[in-house]
Amino acid sequence: MPDKALRIRRAGSREHPGAPPRRPVMLAIAGDSAAGKTTMTRGLVEALGPDRCVSLCTDDYHRYDREERKELPFTALHPDCNHLEIMEQHLQLLATGAPVLKPVYDHGTGQLVRPELVEPAEFVIVEGLFPLWSKLSRACFDVTVFLDPPEDIRRGWKVQRDTSKRGYTEEKVLAELERREPESEAYIRPQRAVADLVVRFAPIESRDDPEGTPLSATLTMRPTIDHPDLGEVLAPGLSRAMHLKLERDPDGRPAETLHVHGYAPREESIAVEKAIWTALGAPDTETPECLGRLGGSSGDARSEPLAIAQLLLLYHLTDAAR
Amino acid sequence: MPDKALRIRRAGSREHPGAPPRRPVMLAIAGDSAAGKTTMTRGLVEALGPDRCVSLCTDDYHRYDREERKELPFTALHPDCNHLEIMEQHLQLLATGAPVLKPVYDHGTGQLVRPELVEPAEFVIVEGLFPLWSKLSRACFDVTVFLDPPEDIRRGWKVQRDTSKRGYTEEKVLAELERREPESEAYIRPQRAVADLVVRFAPIESRDDPEGTPLSATLTMRPTIDHPDLGEVLAPGLSRAMHLKLERDPDGRPAETLHVHGYAPREESIAVEKAIWTALGAPDTETPECLGRLGGSSGDARSEPLAIAQLLLLYHLTDAAR
């Protein structure tokens, strides 16, 4: 019935007079559970301003609640445990400027509750386990990131969060991580290979930094999008805090890698941030306070490598909006 | 960003190899609260078979739950009280063969709860207050019906249902009807003018039928779709049960009107049903038992005028599927 499709389209354009809604710039932040997606997202939303930016989490597309999942032969990391077809549909709708009635999964109670209306703003940030799952979902994004902390670090983050915020015991969290591992490998980690940027927060193995040294970050910038030219920013005097390398990425393909050192003196990292902030065409102001904030159980603690990763993402979002 | 739209479309068609899903035939049954929509729908779903037909109710698109509505200056009959834009979006998706994650309003508790997946079957029947609300929503349907009982009859039906099934007292229901009247007039009844078929169950005013005589039905068939030629079926011997007239519809436009008399002897109505059933190209079997069943508080009571209205709709659904 091509006539029906045509009628729908024509009626649609007559029904809403005036210019069509602007299509938002969309950023995907993918990664395993407790990989740091929410922390990364929070700073970006605050920097862009909540009136220009909405964020959503694809965990809301869980097909079963916590009680039902107990009876299932797979975990929440299995595609069959999620409404991925509906997630793809909603991503397409948002990407073309339409609102969606998004399902809501309550992490506190483990229940699926009343859905909520999400209207696309100028920027839409989608974080979760599966945003890069399919070609169709990836086609909805302007920029895609995969967060890839080493497993031992992620395990620590997950125990910390799930015991403090989601009412699980440490044993439960560790047992669940064990149970999820094959599905992490099969369904979550493969998304790393298709992201424009891979961000890995980790200590630098070759160094023996004292306790409390912030994690460093390795940002793998794939030539799938146009990254800013950081050559000029990285003047020799700043190379202690940060340097660029041409390397093979963990998936074997050539990429530019930006190493941001956690052990660098704070003033130096801040100088780099300012230099990027200005180089990115941002107004001549301080870099936003909210960038680099760890929040959650870390209180007001800051990570300069996180701030630099967020600045790079802000660059891409602003660039895509132009 | 036309590139984004194109990428989504192309990725979409590669992502799902094989033939595109068949687009369903869609029927809208619109009408005010307690106008008989569910009774009409139930018989059709059963006649078509639940494997070939899904039905949904647009009450599920309520924007506020019962508690929240108490604070609002309008009732559930106001467009602002419903996610009509999302309803339109879901109707478009279903009409083009896509599944939707439909919100769910629990009439028992008055709460908005976990949404449910609806996948379009061969036939999709959409009943509710607003399915014919906009040009865009109407474009999704192959056949549209408006149920238009006289207000005193509908009031009786609503009191009966809401006190027995939805936990309201009779005073509450009557007060609510009063409060809703201006919005019924402004937003619900105007849909009558755009339906292909208007069905009115009512006693015939010129007669003084004894208590218990089934309601008669007047079916206004607008020339917006191709109605079956009933001339041959309505042979003179059957004209007591049913007759056709060329009349102006209640909105002043020319239409064919089918009068189905509730006082006609049952054998005669059944003969008419059989005649239509056969004339409509249906297999040489009995008309389905489920047609005409009133259900609910009426138990196993049947209405031959209802069965005839449902038969006509079955004709249109089958015709649109061809």
Side-chain angles (χ1 to χ4, degrees), chain A residues 148-168:
Chain A
D148 185 38
E151 278 299 280
D152 57 330
I153 295 212
R154 183 175 75 83
R155 184 168 295 123
W157 288 347
K158 185 161 170 69
V159 167
Q160 165 62 35
R161 183 196 62 191
D162 288 1
T163 55
S164 67
K165 288 197 192 153
R166 299 187 180 175
Y168 290 94

Side-chain angles (χ1 to χ4, degrees), chain A residues 36 111 145 173 192 210 219 236 267 293-294 303 315 317 321:
Chain A
Q111 289 184 322
V145 185
V173 181
R192 185 180 69 182
L219 283 75
E267 318 75 67
R293 201 177 290 151
L294 291 170
S303 153
Y315 168 85
L317 290 172

Side-chain angles (χ1 to χ4, degrees), chain A residues 42-226:
Chain A
R42 199 188 298 121
L44 292 172
V45 172
E46 205 178 325
L48 291 164
D51 51 324
R52 298 174 68 198
C53 184
V54 295
S55 67
L56 59 100
C57 177
T58 64
D59 292 358
D60 286 321
Y61 292 86
H62 281 339
R63 190 183 283 262
Y64 306 102
D65 64 22
R66 194 177 291 161
E67 210 45 42
E68 290 164 340
R69 286 205 304 274
K70 288 182 184 160
E71 310 294 318
L72 297 173
F74 44 70
T75 78
L77 268 58
H78 196 287
D80 292 351
C81 204
N82 295 274
H83 283 301
L84 292 186
E85 192 179 7
I86 299 294
M87 179 197 78
E88 285 175 346
Q89 180 188 88
H90 286 193
L91 292 177
Q92 290 171 75
L93 287 162
L94 290 168
T96 52
V100 300
L101 198 58
K102 184 186 65 63
V104 175
Y105 177 76
D106 181 337
H107 273 293
T109 63
Q111 289 184 322
L112 290 156
V113 297
R114 170 180 178 165
E116 68 187 14
L117 189 70
V118 175
E119 300 191 81
E122 193 177 339
F123 301 98
V124 176
I125 301 179
V126 179
E127 52 135 327
L129 296 167
F130 286 108
L132 308 183
W133 166 249
S134 65
K135 268 189 177 145
L136 182 53
S137 69
R138 295 196 292 275
C140 299
F141 293 103
D142 299 272
V143 191
T144 60
V145 185
F146 187 86
L147 298 187
D148 185 38
E151 278 299 280
D152 57 330
I153 295 212
R154 183 175 75 83
R155 184 168 295 123
W157 288 347
K158 185 161 170 69
V159 167
Q160 165 62 35
R161 183 196 62 191
D162 288 1
T163 55
S164 67
K165 288 197 192 153
R166 299 187 180 175
Y168 290 94
T169 63
E170 177 165 351
E171 297 73 59
K172 277 252 158 107
V173 181
L174 292 173
E176 182 66 13
L177 276 163
E178 190 82 16
R179 206 161 84 88
R180 287 180 171 201
E181 172 51 29
E183 292 171 13
S184 273
E185 189 186 351
Y187 306 115
I188 309 302
R189 295 204 281 270
Q191 294 175 87
R192 185 180 69 182
V194 292
D196 299 315
L197 261 159
V198 177
V199 180
R200 183 179 185 86
F201 290 101
I204 295 178
E205 283 173 22
S206 58
R207 289 178 55 99
D208 191 20
D209 285 321
E211 186 84 14
T213 303
L215 293 175
S216 296
T218 305
L219 283 75
T220 303
M221 301 187 288
R222 297 216 174 88
T224 43
I225 54 172
D226 282 333

